[in-house]
Amino acid sequence: MTRNFNFTKYKYFGIISTVLIILGFIFTFTVKGGFNLGIDFKAGINQQIAISSSEVIERVSVLDTLSGIKGVQVQRVGSDIENRFVVKVQDSGEDNFQSAVASSIKTALDSNFGSSKVTILSTEFVGGSFSSNLTQEVLFLTFFALLLILAYVWIRFHLNYAFSAIVAIFHDVLFLLAFIGVTGLEVSTGTIAAVLTIIGYSLNDTIVIFDRVRENVKESSGSFEEKVNTSLNESLSRTIITSLTTLIAVTSIFILADGQIKDFALSLIVGIVIGTYSSIFVASSVVVTWGNKIASNRHAKFETSSKLSVDK
């Protein structure tokens, strides 16, 4: 006999998630000083350098060498033995910023490691207008995508299902952003790609559960909460298998990759876990609460009409 877990009784999980998200954002802005925005979202210079050495050069050593440059960030890319780094400096608004900073970086590295050992592999400069436009476009496209999702689920199901799915998606996005802020991961175009990927992943999982709910509402008897709980149990094995197989692939990327790809994979790992959790506990709790409210209103109207009939 298959055991039927009562998932719908754990409504307090949503409260715990909300508290964790709030604490995460408070920590991000009070302790971390805000999100670690990458060069895509703030004007500045981005250089990839390589240092020839038979020994592994630590990232901290490069950062200390460039400590005289205001707002400098250093990130290792590739394997340790390659000694390749990405150096980022936010635009300070000074005249000839690009050429002056590029020269300062090269001079500092040459003096410490030797000019013959330092190679500038690439140099990119992002202007203020580009970073501002990119930020606006990302926000617009994300908001537009959420509207399309709301419309799609509303047409396919009902408003209560659409609202529940959107709440779960917002939960996943905010939780992932709080995690990124707390851990200090760089917010880049790769981060946005991870967020949009998780939106799609979480929605797909939620839709599968809601499809099962809709079938059980038509075919089985019992309260709406019982039908939702039955649906969660019936789709649980599919949810677990899908999440585990996806996690295996993404975890492999996280272990083997480096740089932004590693951060991207880590964001996906967290997003998959949270997306699975929200589909089971958050979306179902919201749709059950809404369904109970509808049932309560119908019951109240029925009692009122019955009382009026008796009075007549």
Side-chain angles (χ1 to χ4, degrees):
M1 182 176 179
T2 304
R3 184 177 178 181
N4 198 39
F5 294 97
N6 189 2
F7 292 106
T8 54
K9 74 175 182 179
Y10 298 110
K11 297 182 176 65
Y12 56 83
F13 275 133
I15 300 175
I16 295 175
S17 297
T18 303
V19 172
L20 290 176
I21 291 171
I22 293 173
L23 291 177
F25 276 96
I26 291 175
F27 183 86
T28 298
F29 287 101
T30 57
V31 178
K32 292 286 187 176
F35 288 98
N36 178 23
L37 298 178
I39 198 70
D40 299 324
F41 295 98
K42 60 183 181 182
I45 191 172
N46 184 342
Q47 280 194 334
Q48 186 169 154
I49 65 171
I51 303 175
S52 300
S53 176
S54 58
E55 299 179 355
V56 175
I57 298 176
E58 298 296 333
R59 185 192 70 89
V60 177
S61 177
V62 178
L63 184 60
D64 290 340
T65 302
L66 303 174
S67 59
I69 301 175
K70 185 178 179 181
V72 66
Q73 297 178 357
V74 177
Q75 181 182 18
R76 177 185 290 278
V77 294
S79 62
D80 291 348
I81 196 61
E82 290 179 302
N83 290 326
R84 289 193 295 119
F85 304 89
V86 172
V87 179
K88 300 178 182 180
V89 183
Q90 186 176 0
D91 191 354
S92 60
E94 300 176 359
D95 295 336
N96 301 321
F97 167 81
Q98 182 177 0
S99 58
V101 170
S103 177
S104 298
I105 293 174
K106 187 67 166 66
T107 301
L109 293 174
D110 287 348
S111 63
N112 189 39
F113 300 106
S115 58
S116 60
K117 295 184 177 181
V118 177
T119 304
I120 305 298
L121 301 176
S122 64
T123 301
E124 299 174 351
F125 179 75
V126 178
S129 59
F130 176 83
S131 60
S132 176
N133 290 337
L134 181 61
T135 302
Q136 293 175 7
E137 289 174 1
V138 165
L139 293 175
F140 171 76
L141 290 174
T142 303
F143 180 73
F144 185 67
L146 291 175
L147 284 181
L148 289 179
I149 290 171
L150 176 63
Y152 164 73
V153 183
W154 191 349
I155 293 171
R156 184 169 178 178
F157 298 96
H158 295 290
L159 180 59
N160 57 333
Y161 292 96
F163 178 78
S164 303
I166 291 296
V167 169
I169 289 173
F170 268 107
H171 166 274
D172 298 342
V173 171
L174 292 175
F175 199 103
L176 182 56
L177 289 177
F179 172 81
I180 291 171
V182 170
T183 55
L185 292 178
E186 183 184 79
V187 179
S188 62
T189 50
T191 306
I192 303 303
V195 171
L196 294 177
T197 302
I198 293 307
I199 288 177
Y201 182 89
S202 177
L203 177 66
N204 177 68
D205 206 18
T206 303
I207 291 299
V208 169
I209 295 174
F210 283 173
D211 261 331
R212 180 65 65 179
V213 172
R214 182 171 58 179
E215 293 175 5
N216 286 331
V217 166
K218 294 178 181 178
E219 299 175 0
S220 61
S221 59
S223 66
F224 181 70
E225 183 171 350
E226 291 173 343
K227 295 173 183 177
V228 171
N229 192 66
T230 299
S231 303
L232 287 170
N233 280 274
E234 291 175 347
S235 57
L236 183 62
S237 59
R238 178 263 176 201
T239 300
I240 293 176
I241 292 173
T242 303
S243 298
L244 283 179
T245 51
T246 309
L247 277 175
I248 291 173
V250 177
T251 302
S252 300
I253 296 174
F254 174 75
I255 294 173
L256 299 175
D258 203 347
Q260 289 189 351
I261 299 298
K262 193 179 188 72
D263 293 345
F264 174 77
L266 178 59
S267 298
L268 285 184
I269 291 173
V270 175
I272 290 169
V273 174
I274 296 302
T276 304
Y277 155 80
S278 69
S279 297
I280 296 175
F281 294 103
V282 178
S284 60
S285 295
V286 175
V287 78
V288 165
T289 301
W290 189 312
N292 290 341
K293 183 66 176 178
I294 293 175
S296 178
N297 291 339
R298 288 176 179 174
H299 183 69
K301 289 180 180 179
F302 176 77
E303 286 189 342
T304 302
S305 60
S306 299
K307 184 177 181 181
L308 291 174
S309 300
V310 172
D311 292 339
K312 289 180 181 180

